[in-house]
């Protein structure tokens, strides 16, 4: 059972991005022992698959493994994902995030980076069903990886954040509308990393 809470731990960092973007990092949202147990359970329980996506008219394999859990379908990069049923652990993590972040998350995209060769290209979580100012809560487990934010309109230095084992990154405001983010390849990373990005999918009348 989870015992750690974001507002009870030190190591909180905030970035006020240009044009209304907001990013907050809770470096120890999960205590180390708890994070290790969550990581082991997710490795075994999640239905990890390597899927194809459409980029510039071509179908390519994603350079990582993914799974979609929640209460609604989600479409991105030309692929529509039907939700899998919440596992007990994902439900528990969701409920604690709802309490800590104050957002009614109803879905989660699970990502597995097997080695430093796996990556996530620059993109924004700006699909219509997420709404104009979505809040994304990203939990990281396993190997640390660099997370890069780049402004879509301005030539300003990127924001680079190291996402470590047990950390929680929350993106809100205009971050998805005006910034892109990525997890670049890192040849120095050997071990696997799991990333859970919780979000709220809006109904047709809300989007």
């Amino acid at each position: 059972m989870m015992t750690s809470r974001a507002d009870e731990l030190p190591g909180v960092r905030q970035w006020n991005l240009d044009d209304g973007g907001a990013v907050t990092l809770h470096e120890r949202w999960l205590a180390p022992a708890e994070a290790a147990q969550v990581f082991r359970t997710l490795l075994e329980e999640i239905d990890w698959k390597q899927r194809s996506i459409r980029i510039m008219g071509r179908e390519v394999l994603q350079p990582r493994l993914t799974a979609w859990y929640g209460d609604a379908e989600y479409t991105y990069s030309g692929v529509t994902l039907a939700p899998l049923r919440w596992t007990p652990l994902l439900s528990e993590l969701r409920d604690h995030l709802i309490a800590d972040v104050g957002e009614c998350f109803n879905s989660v995209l699970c990502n597995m980076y097997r080695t430093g060769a796996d990556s996530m290209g620059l993109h924004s979580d700006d699909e219509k069903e997420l709404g104009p100012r979505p809040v994304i809560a990203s939990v990281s487990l396993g190997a640390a990886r660099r997370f890069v934010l780049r402004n879509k309109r301005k030539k300003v230095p990127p924001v680079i954040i190291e996402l470590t084992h047990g950390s929680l990154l929350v993106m809100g405001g205009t971050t998805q509308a005006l910034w892109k983010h990525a997890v670049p390849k890192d040849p120095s990373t050997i071990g696997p990393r799991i990333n859970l990005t919780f979000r709220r999918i809006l109904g047709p009348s809300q989007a």
Side-chain angles (χ1 to χ4, degrees), residues 60-82:
V60 298
L61 285 174
Q62 291 180 306
R64 62 192 173 281
L65 307 182
T66 63
W68 176 251
Y69 289 79
D71 304 331
E73 291 184 341
Y74 184 46
T75 300
Y76 73 101
S77 297
V79 176
T80 297
L81 302 177

Side-chain angles (χ1 to χ4, degrees), residues 45-47 68-71 82-91 94 108:
E45 289 187 350
I46 297 302
D47 185 21
W68 176 251
Y69 289 79
D71 304 331
L84 298 170
R85 183 175 297 178
W86 290 99
T87 69
L89 177 56
L90 289 176
S91 294
R94 176 203 61 205
V108 58

Side-chain angles (χ1 to χ4, degrees), residues 47-61:
D47 185 21
W48 299 110
K49 292 182 180 178
Q50 187 173 24
R51 293 172 170 81
S52 296
I53 57 173
R54 185 170 294 278
I55 299 178
M56 299 180 67
R58 296 189 303 124
E59 282 201 359
V60 298
L61 285 174

Side-chain angles (χ1 to χ4, degrees), residues 82-207:
L84 298 170
R85 183 175 297 178
W86 290 99
T87 69
L89 177 56
L90 289 176
S91 294
E92 186 177 3
L93 290 167
R94 176 203 61 205
D95 292 346
H96 278 272
L97 284 168
I98 289 172
D100 285 349
V101 179
E103 182 73 13
C104 293
F105 300 112
N106 62 11
S107 302
V108 58
L109 180 62
C110 307
N111 295 284
M112 160 74 79
Y113 299 82
R114 295 160 291 185
T115 68
D118 279 357
S119 62
M120 173 83 77
L122 277 170
H123 73 287
S124 299
D125 297 321
D126 56 1
E127 290 79 16
K128 181 180 178 181
E129 57 263 45
L130 295 176
R133 296 168 66 93
V135 175
I136 308 292
S138 173
V139 178
S140 293
L141 301 153
R145 293 293 293 267
R146 286 187 304 122
F147 183 81
V148 180
L149 288 145
R150 292 187 181 274
N151 194 290
K152 295 180 183 181
R153 302 176 179 178
K154 300 178 181 178
K155 292 184 178 180
V156 296
V159 176
I160 300 175
I161 304 171
E162 184 177 40
L163 300 181
T164 55
H165 185 49
S167 66
L168 166 65
L169 185 80
V170 180
M171 296 180 284
T174 61
T175 304
Q176 303 306 321
L178 301 178
W179 291 74
K180 291 185 176 183
H181 56 272
V183 178
K185 293 182 180 181
D186 184 354
S188 66
T189 300
I190 299 174
R193 170 184 183 252
I194 291 175
N195 172 240
L196 308 174
T197 55
F198 289 82
R199 56 199 74 200
R200 182 187 179 197
I201 304 296
L202 302 178
S205 63
Q206 299 171 299

Side-chain angles (χ1 to χ4, degrees), residues 13-24 159 174-175 179:
R13 302 170 61 194
Q14 294 182 320
W15 290 262
N16 294 317
L17 306 178
D18 285 354
D19 304 320
V23 175
T24 301
V159 176
T174 61
T175 304
W179 291 74

